[in-house]
Amino acid sequence: MPTPRREFLGWLGASTMFAAAGAPLALPRSAGAQRVPVSDQWDMGWVDRLKGKHRAVFDSPAMAEGDALFRAAMWRDQNKEVYGTDAAELNAVLVVRHAAINLVMNDAFWDRFNLGKEEKLKDSATRKWSKKNPFLTTPPDTPPKYADYSLERFMATGGTVLACNVAFGQVVYQFVKADKLDRAAARQKALEYLVPGVTLQPSGVFAVLCAQEAGCNYILAS
């Protein structure tokens, strides 16, 4: 009998299957008084917005066909299905780092750098390498039960998405190389291609541990 995830990926038209096993590595500490940043270089406001009774951080170091995003959205749906938990009581934090950084880049970036071919992801309509981020928006023909399983809908419905600045350095380097820019100018340009609503953090490891400090259960999700 097909699992919901396989059913979803079959509908999406994914070219390969990747099922990364994720297991909780540590229990979170009780959320206490939050620390105050010494400067405004990094936006830590997301920590203060974690007010739900049930909190989880989904660690995504690999693209893995959007596994971590799928699992974060699925966790919220299943809490509602099993316990009838209100969305306001659920905080899902997705941390995109390492080889998954392209997940938080927009369609223009995917098109310019031919990421569909790099990530081995094909457009379900054309069957050619995708020219856009297939996880960014919800296609119009998406089954209702998967409506929130896109990056934009996940954030619009209360999900938090954090990205590793160390991994983002690779994005910056692509503009250094392609456009012959100095690093400062390349970074400024790269930021224009970052999906709106995604919050950069000093590193993905930093973000994961801050989420745990804020009371999130941890799972390696890709």
Side-chain angles (χ1 to χ4, degrees):
M1 181 176 181
T3 65
R5 177 179 173 278
R6 286 182 178 272
E7 178 186 344
F8 172 71
L9 286 177
W11 166 82
L12 185 63
S15 57
T16 59
M17 293 296 296
F18 182 98
L25 297 186
L27 292 175
R29 287 185 280 171
S30 298
Q34 303 296 346
R35 293 181 289 171
V36 179
V38 296
S39 74
D40 61 359
Q41 180 179 0
W42 302 103
D43 180 2
M44 300 304 297
W46 62 272
V47 176
D48 297 327
R49 293 191 289 273
L50 301 182
K51 300 184 182 298
K53 183 177 180 181
H54 311 284
R55 309 173 189 182
V57 56
F58 296 80
D59 185 11
S60 180
M63 176 67 75
E65 295 185 338
D67 274 0
L69 173 60
F70 181 92
R71 287 166 174 158
M74 184 174 65
W75 173 75
R76 297 191 307 185
D77 283 352
Q78 290 176 342
N79 267 276
K80 182 177 181 180
E81 175 188 348
V82 176
Y83 295 110
T85 309
D86 187 85
E89 291 299 309
L90 297 166
N91 291 142
V93 179
L94 174 65
V95 176
V96 178
R97 63 183 181 89
H98 197 50
I101 194 64
N102 289 332
L103 181 67
V104 294
M105 303 309 295
N106 69 14
D107 289 344
F109 185 82
W110 275 66
D111 185 21
R112 177 168 184 186
F113 293 102
N114 201 19
L115 296 187
K117 183 176 182 180
E118 179 181 322
E119 300 290 354
K120 300 297 185 288
L121 290 168
K122 291 187 175 181
D123 187 299
S124 58
T126 67
R127 304 307 303 160
K128 295 180 179 180
W129 298 122
S130 181
K131 292 293 186 180
K132 59 184 181 180
N133 183 341
F135 310 109
L136 180 56
T137 60
T138 303
D141 58 342
T142 302
K145 63 180 177 179
Y146 299 129
D148 294 340
Y149 287 38
S150 69
L151 199 62
E152 288 186 345
R153 284 294 300 161
F154 177 72
M155 292 189 287
T157 53
T160 298
V161 180
L162 309 174
C164 172
N165 186 62
V166 176
F168 189 69
Q170 179 58 36
V171 174
V172 173
Y173 177 71
Q174 287 181 262
F175 285 105
V176 169
K177 185 177 179 180
D179 295 347
K180 310 303 182 194
L181 299 172
D182 62 43
R183 194 158 186 86
R187 180 177 176 82
Q188 191 59 41
K189 189 165 188 178
L191 287 170
E192 296 174 6
Y193 290 78
L194 183 68
V195 172
V198 175
T199 303
L200 279 174
Q201 297 288 277
S203 72
V205 170
F206 173 86
V208 165
L209 293 175
C210 281
Q212 286 185 277
E213 278 191 9
C216 291
N217 283 299
Y218 172 90
I219 185 167
L220 178 62
S222 71

